[in-house]
């Protein structure tokens, strides 16, 4: 990991993703701001640059096959490679979330972004990551994806809203990430899941109790793991999360 390290953060135009980009940029890394809206992306890139970050914009809608392939091409051709990928983009799927009321379209949208979007981006970026000396992949999950916590009766962290669309996507993302870790175990790629805690962002109508900067910490720490760091793990600031 050096000043030549290049990172891509998806959904980096606001919230936790913006702060992950800022934190990685503060280490002297070159940071790609993946965002689907041109105006929001350019505003974030400008703000990061004004704060001294070597930021560049990457047009990226994680649900779009051709767009994700084009993003990989842009990063390779214009910026020379990729060392670190942070899959941060995510949606709740909207309300209601009671499983008796949630629509199949809501569930499909949440899976499309939170799970298939991550798979799409990882697979497009893997050829670049494989050429890196210290590749890292961080998937932004959530503690609400933990089946252990969802079913615990004595764990205060288990108390969360009923979530028929959103929480299951994070469980699915956890399961898929384990499979990536198994496939990539004999490579130098470390892939891990991070939970930012309950953070005040658009995602939850700013009801969270942590700042986006605090929420970004776990992803930054997993993005900057040493070569002998863990892979296939599920972490929050306090340590491992039970599956
Ligand atoms: N906030 C929390 O308490 C909390 C807790 C646990 C986990 N998380 C996870 O942390 C991550 C970041 O969430 P946040 O709280 O920072 O939410 P946020 O402020 O709503 O930001 C979400 C980001 O994802 C982007 N995005 C959504 N769909 C996209 C798509 N199809 N393609 C590309 N970008 C897309 C959004 O872009 P637009 O601006 O274009 O919509 C935005 O940049 C998510 O994965 C979330 O599930 C959050």
């Amino acid at each position: 990991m050096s000043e030549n390290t290049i990172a891509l953060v998806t959904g980096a135009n606001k919230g936790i993703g913006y702060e992950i980009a800022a934190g990685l940029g503060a280490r002297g890394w070159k940071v790609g701001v993946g965002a689907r809206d041109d105006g929001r992306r350019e505003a974030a890139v400008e703000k990061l640059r004004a704060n001294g970050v070597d930021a560049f914009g990457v047009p990226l809608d994680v649900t779009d096959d051709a767009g994700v392939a084009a993003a990989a091409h842009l990063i390779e051709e214009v910026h020379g490679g990729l060392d670190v990928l942070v899959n941060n983009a995510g949606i709740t799927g909207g309300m209601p979330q009671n499983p008796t009321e949630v629509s199949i379209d809501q569930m499909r949208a949440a899976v499309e972004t939170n799970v298939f979007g991550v798979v799409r981006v990882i697979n497009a970026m893997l050829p670049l990551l494989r050429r890196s000396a210290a590749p890292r992949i961080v998937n932004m999950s959530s503690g609400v994806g933990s089946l252990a916590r969802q079913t615990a009766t004595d764990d205060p962290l288990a108390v969360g809203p009923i979530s028929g669309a959103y929480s299951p996507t994070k469980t699915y993302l956890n399961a898929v990430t384990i499979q990536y870790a198994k496939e990539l175990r004999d490579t130098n790629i470390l892939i891990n899941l991070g939970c930012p805690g309950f953070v005040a962002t658009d995602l939850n109508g700013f009801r969270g109790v942590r700042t986006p900067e605090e929420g970004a910490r776990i992803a930054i720490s997993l993005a900057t793991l040493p070569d002998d760091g863990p892979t296939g793990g599920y972490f929050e600031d306090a340590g491992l999360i039970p599956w």
Side-chain angles (χ1 to χ4, degrees):
M1 302 269 169
S2 70
E3 290 207 347
N4 299 322
T5 300
I6 304 176
L8 170 67
V9 183
T10 70
N13 53 285
K14 67 179 180 183
I16 299 166
Y18 176 86
E19 292 299 338
I20 296 169
L24 297 179
R27 281 160 172 73
W29 292 9
K30 192 168 173 179
V31 183
V33 174
R36 56 185 169 177
D37 179 88
D38 292 345
R40 290 196 288 273
R41 183 179 58 252
E42 286 318 310
V45 168
E46 272 179 36
K47 193 171 157 194
L48 286 164
R49 283 187 183 156
N51 290 318
V53 173
D54 185 2
F56 61 96
V58 179
L60 186 59
D61 180 334
V62 301
T63 65
D64 175 15
D65 281 331
V68 170
H73 185 75
L74 172 87
I75 293 169
E76 181 159 33
E77 294 301 314
V78 180
H79 302 286
L82 188 66
D83 303 288
V84 173
L85 168 63
V86 181
N87 288 300
N88 164 81
I91 60 170
T92 63
M95 300 301 277
Q97 286 277 338
N98 282 344
T100 55
E101 298 172 293
V102 70
S103 72
I104 297 296
D105 283 347
Q106 269 175 270
M107 294 181 79
R108 192 177 284 124
V111 175
E112 186 60 58
T113 299
N114 299 355
V115 183
F116 302 156
V118 174
V119 170
R120 188 177 283 114
V121 174
I122 291 178
N123 289 351
M125 301 298 164
L126 258 181
L128 286 70
L129 291 165
R130 285 186 193 278
R131 292 200 288 275
S132 166
R136 307 284 179 262
I137 301 172
V138 182
N139 291 342
M140 282 304 260
S141 183
S142 167
V144 301
S146 161
L147 294 177
R149 283 193 179 161
Q150 288 289 331
T151 52
T153 49
D154 55 350
D155 181 350
L157 291 171
V159 181
I162 294 171
S163 166
Y166 175 72
S167 297
T169 66
K170 296 299 187 179
T171 313
Y172 192 171
L173 176 64
N174 292 352
V176 170
T177 303
I178 290 171
Q179 300 306 317
Y180 272 108
K182 285 169 70 174
E183 184 183 346
L184 298 173
R185 194 159 297 276
D186 294 330
T187 73
N188 60 351
I189 302 175
L190 301 180
I191 177 166
N192 289 287
L193 294 145
C195 168
F198 189 33
V199 180
T201 66
D202 267 338
L203 192 92
N204 50 37
F206 296 90
R207 284 179 292 108
V209 295
R210 308 189 84 203
T211 65
E213 206 175 348
E214 289 169 331
R217 270 186 212 148
I218 188 66
I220 293 168
S221 118
L222 294 172
T224 55
L225 284 173
D227 290 344
D228 61 354
T231 192
Y234 180 24
F235 297 94
E236 58 192 354
D237 285 349
L240 280 171
I241 303 175
W243 299 104

